[in-house]
C-alpha cells in the first residue's frame, strides 16, 4: 500500500529537505523499511537498536497513535497518512 509520510524538521536532512515523502508497505514496519531504502539512515532515528519504536518518537497512522494500536504491525491502507513526531520535553 502507498502512504504519505510526514517528516519532522529534524529528520528532513535524510529526505533532502522534503517535509512529506511517499512510502510503500502493508504495515508500519514495512513503510519504515521502505523509508530506509529510499532515505538511508532515517530508520535509525525512528527505531532503537532492538528494532522497536524509539521511546521519544511518536508515530500516528491517520490520527491513531500506533502505540495504542499494533505498533510496527499497524496496518497501512492505501492513501494513509503517517506522521512521525519527535516528543518534546523540557520546562522549568
Amino acid at each position: 500500500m502507498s502512504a504519505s509520510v510526514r517528516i519532522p524538521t529534524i529528520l528532513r536532512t535524510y529526505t533532502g529537505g522534503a517535509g512529506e515523502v511517499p512510502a510503500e508497505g502493508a504495515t508500519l514496519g514495512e513503510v519504515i523499511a521502505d523509508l530506509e531504502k529510499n532515505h538511508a539512515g532515517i530508520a535509525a532515528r525512528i527505531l532503537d537498536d532492538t528494532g522497536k519504536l524509539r521511546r521519544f518518537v511518536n508515530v500516528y497512522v491517520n490520527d491513531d497513535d500506533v502505540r495504542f494500536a499494533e505498533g510496527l504491525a499497524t496496518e497501512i491502507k492505501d492513501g494513509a497518512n503517517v506522521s512521525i513526531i519527535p516528543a518534546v520535553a523540557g520546562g522549568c
Side-chain angles (χ1 to χ4, degrees), residues 3-8 27-28 31-32 35 46 53 55-72 74-77 79-88:
S4 178
V5 183
R6 294 182 189 130
I7 306 297
T27 66
L28 178 59
V31 165
I32 293 172
L35 277 177
I46 301 168
L53 288 172
R55 184 174 172 203
F56 296 109
V57 175
N58 298 310
V59 180
Y60 293 83
V61 173
N62 295 321
D63 291 322
D64 298 321
D65 187 336
V66 299
R67 293 186 196 276
F68 300 105
E70 300 296 319
L72 293 173
T74 299
E75 180 183 9
I76 303 296
K77 294 185 179 179
N81 291 309
V82 177
S83 299
I84 301 168
I85 302 170
V88 178

Side-chain angles (χ1 to χ4, degrees), residues 15-29:
T15 61
E20 194 165 313
V21 295
E24 299 288 327
T27 66
L28 178 59

